[in-house]
Amino acid sequence: MLKIRFKDKKYNAVWLVEPKITIGRSATNALVIDDPIAGDVHVEVLVDNENLTLKNLLPAVPVKVNDLEVTGACELKPEDQITIGTVELVVIDPKRETKTLEQAASNVTQLRPSKPTGWSLKANHTALGNRVFPLKDITVIGRANDCDISLAAAHLSRRHAQLQVVDGMLFVKDLGSANGTFLNGKQVSEARVKRGDELRFDALSFGVIGPSDDMAKTSVRKPPSRAEAIQEAKAAPVAKGKPAQRPSPVVPTRASSASTPVSDKVAEAGSKGRYGLIFLGILAVLVITALFLTRK
């Protein structure tokens, strides 16, 4: 079964169910459009299985199919584009879109190898097989073959968006894509992306895998070069223990050099004083004894 939707995917697609659907400004239509030149019921799409026929119910206001004006009826096929005033619609085959995404997955190219950043995108669509795409410092995603991640999706711009890792943190920047870049459902032109966020480029949705904020801010020490390692090894014994210090020579001062003779003289004088006192004591005893004997 086929669908019809707005080209810019502003609203959800509408199934083309038998026997027909109508398109116009009235709320009774299966697909409601808002354009001043559109009628209340402007177009019918007759459905017979997957055979479609478009009928312009207001021939005075031409409807374009693939840029060709239709005032009556014409056949419709998947990927045909319908224009009513400024409104652009497209017929899609969900099965064909799935095959296109599967082909896109097989055509993924990683052109310039780079060191791991810890960041990656995990495809949410089963057509991409839940594949994980590692991110480099700068990664461009788009339809062009020279993109870092190249996906052959019809509504993806040639250079759709850029992902950049700065100081461990991930940022996304839209490169002027036709169908927009979305972060957690909100269209952005430039924003920071965190682990667990959802990034969508047109209809391609990805989950963000990466470090937490704390890990992203952690700086990694650069390993020393061979020359630096040799220098560190030579300096290691000095760093572990203090170098032996030579004993400083003792320089005698004037006071210390004079102290030895003075002490010797004092000791000598003391020795002579003791002998003098002994002699005086003996002499005093002899005098007293003599006086005592004379009195008798």
Side-chain angles (χ1 to χ4, degrees), residues 170-233:
L170 180 64
F171 296 86
V172 64
K173 180 180 180 181
D174 186 83
L175 299 179
S177 65
N179 295 317
T181 297
F182 299 83
L183 175 62
N184 298 326
K186 181 180 179 182
Q187 187 169 0
V188 296
S189 57
E190 191 169 356
R192 183 187 169 194
V193 184
K194 298 181 181 180
R195 180 176 66 175
D197 285 347
E198 182 203 41
L199 270 177
R200 180 163 58 85
F201 311 104
D202 184 47
L204 298 177
S205 173
F206 299 86
V208 178
I209 302 173
S212 63
D213 279 357
D214 292 339
M215 292 178 65
K217 294 177 183 178
T218 303
S219 60
V220 180
R221 181 180 180 272
K222 181 181 178 182
S225 63
R226 186 171 180 272
E228 291 172 341
I230 294 174
Q231 187 66 26
E232 289 181 1

Side-chain angles (χ1 to χ4, degrees), residues 11-276:
Y11 302 106
N12 292 331
V14 174
W15 288 102
L16 293 168
V17 295
E18 297 179 348
K20 67 179 181 180
I21 70 158
T22 58
I23 302 172
R25 298 183 64 182
S26 173
T28 59
N29 293 288
L31 186 60
V32 179
I33 61 175
D34 184 14
D35 190 274
I37 73 167
D40 289 339
V41 182
H42 201 117
V43 169
E44 281 184 348
V45 179
L46 305 178
V47 182
D48 179 13
N49 195 8
E50 291 192 355
N51 299 316
L52 308 176
T53 302
L54 178 142
K55 290 181 65 175
N56 184 359
L57 302 179
L58 298 175
V61 183
V63 174
K64 291 183 179 181
V65 176
N66 300 328
D67 293 329
L68 298 177
E69 291 189 356
V70 177
T71 56
C74 72
E75 183 183 1
L76 284 179
K77 295 181 179 179
E79 304 300 328
D80 282 350
Q81 296 188 19
I82 305 164
T83 305
I84 305 172
T86 59
V87 177
E88 294 182 317
L89 307 172
V90 62
V91 179
I92 60 172
D93 183 350
K95 293 181 293 184
R96 184 176 297 182
E97 281 202 338
T98 300
K99 290 180 180 179
T100 301
L101 290 174
E102 290 174 347
Q103 183 181 3
S106 63
N107 291 336
V108 171
T109 57
Q110 300 286 342
L111 297 181
R112 297 184 295 273
S114 178
K115 61 181 181 181
T117 62
W119 291 94
S120 56
L121 298 182
K122 182 178 180 181
N124 292 333
H125 202 290
T126 55
L128 292 176
N130 297 322
R131 183 171 294 187
V132 175
F133 304 98
L135 300 180
K136 303 185 294 185
D137 290 335
I138 297 179
T139 303
V140 176
I141 182 170
R143 188 163 39 89
N145 290 331
D146 61 348
C147 290
D148 300 295
I149 300 178
S150 177
L151 299 170
H155 302 292
L156 199 66
S157 296
R158 289 183 58 81
R159 293 175 63 85
H160 198 103
Q162 174 182 287
L163 295 156
Q164 184 173 7
V165 180
V166 180
D167 293 332
M169 294 177 288
L170 180 64
F171 296 86
V172 64
K173 180 180 180 181
D174 186 83
L175 299 179
S177 65
N179 295 317
T181 297
F182 299 83
L183 175 62
N184 298 326
K186 181 180 179 182
Q187 187 169 0
V188 296
S189 57
E190 191 169 356
R192 183 187 169 194
V193 184
K194 298 181 181 180
R195 180 176 66 175
D197 285 347
E198 182 203 41
L199 270 177
R200 180 163 58 85
F201 311 104
D202 184 47
L204 298 177
S205 173
F206 299 86
V208 178
I209 302 173
S212 63
D213 279 357
D214 292 339
M215 292 178 65
K217 294 177 183 178
T218 303
S219 60
V220 180
R221 181 180 180 272
K222 181 181 178 182
S225 63
R226 186 171 180 272
E228 291 172 341
I230 294 174
Q231 187 66 26
E232 289 181 1
K234 290 180 178 179
V238 177
K240 289 181 180 178
K242 294 182 179 180
Q245 297 182 353
R246 295 181 180 180
S248 300
V250 178
V251 179
T253 61
R254 291 183 178 180
S256 62
S257 61
S259 62
T260 302
V262 170
S263 60
D264 291 344
K265 289 179 181 180
V266 171
E268 182 179 357
S271 177
K272 290 181 178 180
R274 286 194 297 271
Y275 290 126

